[in-house]
Amino acid sequence: MARIAYIENMKEWSDSFHFAHSVSVRFSETDMFGHLNNTVPFTYFEEARIEYLKAISFMADWLNPEHDRIPVVADLQCDFLAQVYFGEELLIHVKAHSIGNSSVDIHYKGTRQDDTIVFTGRGTIVQISRHTGKPVFWSEQQKNKLEAEKLQHAAHACSAG
Amino acid sequence: MARIAYIENMKEWSDSFHFAHSVSVRFSETDMFGHLNNTVPFTYFEEARIEYLKAISFMADWLNPEHDRIPVVADLQCDFLAQVYFGEELLIHVKAHSIGNSSVDIHYKGTRQDDTIVFTGRGTIVQISRHTGKPVFWSEQQKNKLEAEKLQHAAHACSAG
Amino acid sequence: MARIAYIENMKEWSDSFHFAHSVSVRFSETDMFGHLNNTVPFTYFEEARIEYLKAISFMADWLNPEHDRIPVVADLQCDFLAQVYFGEELLIHVKAHSIGNSSVDIHYKGTRQDDTIVFTGRGTIVQISRHTGKPVFWSEQQKNKLEAEKLQHAAHACSAG
Amino acid sequence: MARIAYIENMKEWSDSFHFAHSVSVRFSETDMFGHLNNTVPFTYFEEARIEYLKAISFMADWLNPEHDRIPVVADLQCDFLAQVYFGEELLIHVKAHSIGNSSVDIHYKGTRQDDTIVFTGRGTIVQISRHTGKPVFWSEQQKNKLEAEKLQHAAHACSAG
């Protein structure tokens, strides 16, 4: 397994997730090499990230077209550790890894049912104003929710360790 | 070749197109059977239809978020006549086939560079109000443009015949 | 609701399905008009069709790269009855509608949780030889399974009627 | 503009590309926030990378199903610098940045027609055996081609500097 810059200790990192969303690999998501096309995990990341953000009550505000705040993705990356095939059921694990003033670095782990990690990833999302395009600081309430998430990840990593 | 309900005479039909847009088959658009996945031609139809509607000056109004009129797709169909592979350059031909009060039936023909037809298709688009969701009649100007298109198709079919 | 050529009696047709597969509308499947892009239901049809074909034990043979028989899609169509939005949970109902020598006409119905029909569709799949590309007749076993399916649809339509 | 780990000097980096492939943003590639969905640039990277690999004569061998060598993507990342909208024509620039024994690190730059950079990216591809899944060292010929590419990038960066 290649060294991955955003993962210091794979076991600790892997144990710290406590949210996961399930996806099945679609036939249309394979390519002529017979496996999952490498552009597709980013779609899984988006789907799982939104489920995670719903679970911590961030989405309702962002999806309201009358509200000014929306999230944008600043960067995204994925490391492919194992080939994935049609029909596989994957769990996409999501966590808030570190928190900025108007941004959050989100980490992803894709696993098979036997817990093999098939890909890992990360990416920063930034809260911006729909109208100005400028970053908007987290509210106290938003920041508290994200901090509570981080504590839970730490607790998970400890109890699993 | 199977009979296709929306094509009476294949030669006449085929000759009547005078607009085409070029696409290349992407690697990510193939599937594990090694050919173009069957959901993708509908994406090509959309891309080519929009280029066609731009060419006849219909898109600018519809894409203006302050204008109330937008097009919606009422139905879509595709008949797959030949397998298509990665890297092929296809021409997607488009024409306005028949014109309603607020709708237009658009036909599609996908061809290889040697003119082989690889798929055909059709679908109705309807002009609706963004706010009420109800159909909005074509303006005189819109109707005149669509009628002019139909005449050109007929002329093409004749001169090619 | 427009008349749809492949549906004689909407209530009877609608009642005759007995298999359904659930999908959630992904954020990446919406477009700038704010709703589900019209190319996506064909992806849902494929996903639900494969689940259906698995349920009636057709897929294992077709997915075995050492076996010669594979299914290809001969045509596909979709009628869009209602706009669909991000996050909606849809049921994609599937049935074998009529059976040929090497083909089967499959029908689709997409519904919201309140049973509203949001789109309908159909398409023929044909069993072909991977090597010759020619149609391959259904085996007795395959034909029996498809006929059993049709009887079940009829039973459903009756009991629901 | 955020610091990007794989770019030391943005001007030098930006000047060093000498291959580009053009793409148009499809309507189906936008999302309900009105801009290009963030999963799509990875599809553009794949399309442009393959055109680049064709241009330096790497693809023919890899696409031959009787040959054992195929490329796999080990990782991928994208930094989003500006929002992109429907209908924009982008150039996707590609270069071989650094060369391993069986791998190559490929860099990407997406630009508007006025040369604004809208996204940057990178990712390693590895040549593996279709059958064993293990890395396969570059042949002398392959290595020479990649080295020639690198020299050309350097020359470009100098002459542009």
Side-chain angles (χ1 to χ4, degrees):
Chain A
M1 198 182 290
R3 273 172 309 117
I4 298 173
Y6 51 90
I7 302 177
E8 264 181 61
N9 175 316
M10 178 58 92
K11 174 152 182 16
E12 242 172 58
W13 181 82
S14 183
D15 286 342
S16 69
F17 290 86
H18 69 94
F19 177 91
H21 176 72
S22 166
V23 297
S24 302
V25 176
R26 292 177 176 168
F27 194 86
S28 58
E29 293 169 348
T30 62
D31 66 32
M32 62 183 280
F33 282 161
H35 54 213
L36 183 69
N37 185 262
N38 59 64
T39 66
V40 180
F42 298 100
T43 310
Y44 296 167
F45 289 174
E46 182 182 76
E47 181 174 337
R49 174 176 67 244
I50 290 175
E51 290 304 315
Y52 175 73
L53 293 168
K54 268 192 215 165
I56 63 168
S57 311
F58 269 61
M59 283 311 291
D61 176 38
W62 285 341
L63 288 172
N64 186 333
E66 298 183 5
H67 287 198
D68 182 47
R69 301 184 294 190
I70 58 168
V72 290
V73 170
D75 74 321
L76 268 182
Q77 65 190 103
C78 182
D79 288 81
F80 304 89
L81 305 186
Q83 296 198 50
V84 175
Y85 297 96
F86 166 65
E88 289 201 65
E89 302 272 346
L90 304 179
L91 280 178
I92 312 298
H93 307 256
V94 186
K95 67 168 181 165
H97 181 75
S98 62
I99 305 163
N101 287 323
S102 56
S103 68
V104 56
D105 186 32
I106 295 184
H107 282 203
Y108 306 93
K109 179 179 70 159
T111 57
R112 290 218 177 85
Q113 307 211 295
D114 66 357
D115 283 343
T116 323
I117 302 178
V118 291
F119 44 70
T120 65
R122 60 153 296 286
T124 296
I125 62 169
V126 181
Q127 178 174 257
I128 67 164
S129 158
R130 211 184 270 269
H131 297 100
T132 67
K134 301 253 188 260
V136 175
F137 276 19
W138 300 123
S139 66
E140 273 311 296
Q141 200 191 11
Q142 286 177 315
K143 198 142 191 177
N144 291 343
K145 276 180 197 162
L146 291 171
E147 295 290 357
E149 276 302 300
K150 274 203 62 177
L151 286 176
Q152 243 186 303
H153 300 314
H156 253 253
C158 283
S159 69
Chain B
M1 197 181 289
R3 274 169 309 119
I4 298 173
Y6 51 89
I7 302 176
E8 262 180 62
N9 175 315
M10 178 58 92
K11 176 155 180 18
E12 243 173 58
W13 180 83
S14 182
D15 287 343
S16 69
F17 290 86
H18 69 95
F19 177 91
H21 176 72
S22 166
V23 296
S24 302
V25 175
R26 292 177 176 168
F27 195 86
S28 57
E29 293 169 349
T30 62
D31 65 31
M32 61 183 280
F33 282 162
H35 54 213
L36 182 70
N37 184 262
N38 59 66
T39 65
V40 180
F42 297 100
T43 309
Y44 297 166
F45 289 173
E46 182 182 75
E47 181 173 336
R49 175 176 67 243
I50 290 175
E51 289 305 315
Y52 175 74
L53 293 168
K54 267 192 215 166
I56 64 168
S57 310
F58 270 60
M59 281 313 291
D61 175 38
W62 284 340
L63 287 172
N64 186 331
E66 297 183 5
H67 287 198
D68 183 47
R69 301 184 295 190
I70 57 168
V72 290
V73 170
D75 73 322
L76 268 183
Q77 64 190 106
C78 182
D79 288 81
F80 304 88
L81 306 186
Q83 296 198 49
V84 175
Y85 297 96
F86 167 64
E88 289 201 65
E89 300 272 346
L90 303 179
L91 280 177
I92 312 296
H93 308 256
V94 185
K95 67 169 180 166
H97 181 74
S98 62
I99 304 162
N101 287 323
S102 56
S103 69
V104 55
D105 186 32
I106 295 183
H107 282 204
Y108 306 93
K109 178 180 71 159
T111 57
R112 290 219 177 83
Q113 306 211 296
D114 65 358
D115 283 343
T116 324
I117 302 178
V118 291
F119 44 72
T120 65
R122 59 156 294 287
T124 297
I125 62 169
V126 181
Q127 179 173 257
I128 65 164
S129 159
R130 211 184 270 268
H131 296 102
T132 67
K134 302 254 189 259
V136 174
F137 276 20
W138 300 121
S139 67
E140 272 312 295
Q141 201 191 11
Q142 287 178 315
K143 198 143 192 177
N144 290 343
K145 275 179 198 162
L146 292 172
E147 295 290 355
E149 276 304 300
K150 275 202 61 178
L151 285 176
Q152 242 186 303
H153 301 313
H156 254 253
C158 283
S159 69
Chain C
M1 198 181 289
R3 274 171 306 118
I4 297 172
Y6 51 88
I7 302 177
E8 263 182 61
N9 175 316
M10 178 57 93
K11 175 154 181 18
E12 242 172 58
W13 181 82
S14 183
D15 287 342
S16 68
F17 290 86
H18 69 95
F19 177 91
H21 176 72
S22 166
V23 297
S24 302
V25 175
R26 292 177 176 168
F27 194 86
S28 57
E29 294 170 348
T30 61
D31 65 32
M32 63 184 278
F33 282 162
H35 54 214
L36 182 70
N37 186 262
N38 59 65
T39 65
V40 181
F42 298 101
T43 310
Y44 296 166
F45 289 173
E46 182 182 77
E47 181 175 337
R49 174 176 67 244
I50 290 175
E51 289 304 315
Y52 175 74
L53 293 168
K54 268 192 215 165
I56 63 168
S57 311
F58 269 61
M59 283 311 292
D61 175 38
W62 285 339
L63 287 172
N64 186 332
E66 297 183 7
H67 287 198
D68 183 47
R69 302 184 294 190
I70 57 168
V72 290
V73 170
D75 73 322
L76 268 182
Q77 64 190 105
C78 182
D79 288 81
F80 303 89
L81 306 186
Q83 297 197 49
V84 174
Y85 297 96
F86 166 65
E88 289 201 63
E89 300 273 346
L90 303 179
L91 280 177
I92 311 297
H93 307 257
V94 185
K95 66 170 181 165
H97 181 74
S98 61
I99 305 161
N101 287 322
S102 57
S103 69
V104 55
D105 187 33
I106 295 184
H107 283 203
Y108 305 94
K109 179 179 70 160
T111 56
R112 291 218 177 84
Q113 307 211 295
D114 65 358
D115 282 343
T116 323
I117 302 178
V118 291
F119 44 70
T120 65
R122 59 154 295 287
T124 297
I125 62 169
V126 181
Q127 178 173 257
I128 66 165
S129 158
R130 210 184 271 267
H131 296 101
T132 67
K134 301 255 190 258
V136 174
F137 276 19
W138 300 122
S139 66
E140 271 312 295
Q141 201 191 10
Q142 286 178 314
K143 199 144 191 177
N144 291 343
K145 275 180 197 160
L146 291 171
E147 295 290 356
E149 276 303 300
K150 274 202 62 178
L151 285 176
Q152 242 187 302
H153 301 314
H156 253 254
C158 282
S159 68
Chain D
M1 197 181 290
R3 275 171 308 119
I4 297 174
Y6 51 89
I7 302 176
E8 262 181 61
N9 175 316
M10 177 59 90
K11 175 152 180 20
E12 243 173 58
W13 180 83
S14 182
D15 287 342
S16 68
F17 290 85
H18 70 94
F19 177 92
H21 176 72
S22 166
V23 296
S24 302
V25 176
R26 293 177 175 168
F27 195 86
S28 57
E29 293 170 349
T30 61
D31 65 32
M32 61 183 281
F33 282 161
H35 54 213
L36 183 69
N37 184 262
N38 59 65
T39 65
V40 180
F42 298 100
T43 310
Y44 296 167
F45 289 173
E46 182 182 76
E47 181 174 335
R49 174 176 67 243
I50 290 175
E51 289 305 314
Y52 175 74
L53 293 168
K54 268 192 215 167
I56 63 168
S57 311
F58 269 61
M59 281 312 291
D61 175 38
W62 285 340
L63 288 172
N64 186 332
E66 296 183 7
H67 287 197
D68 182 47
R69 301 183 296 189
I70 57 168
V72 290
V73 170
D75 74 322
L76 269 183
Q77 64 190 105
C78 181
D79 288 81
F80 304 89
L81 306 185
Q83 297 197 48
V84 175
Y85 297 96
F86 167 65
E88 289 201 65
E89 300 273 345
L90 303 178
L91 280 177
I92 311 297
H93 308 256
V94 186
K95 67 168 181 167
H97 180 75
S98 62
I99 304 162
N101 287 323
S102 56
S103 68
V104 56
D105 186 32
I106 295 184
H107 283 203
Y108 306 93
K109 178 179 70 158
T111 57
R112 291 218 176 84
Q113 306 211 295
D114 65 359
D115 282 343
T116 324
I117 302 178
V118 291
F119 45 70
T120 65
R122 60 154 294 287
T124 297
I125 63 169
V126 182
Q127 179 173 256
I128 66 165
S129 158
R130 211 184 271 269
H131 296 102
T132 67
K134 301 255 189 258
V136 175
F137 275 19
W138 300 122
S139 67
E140 272 312 295
Q141 200 191 12
Q142 286 178 315
K143 199 144 191 176
N144 291 344
K145 277 180 197 161
L146 291 172
E147 295 290 357
E149 277 303 300
K150 274 203 62 178
L151 286 176
Q152 242 186 303
H153 301 312
H156 254 253
C158 283
S159 67

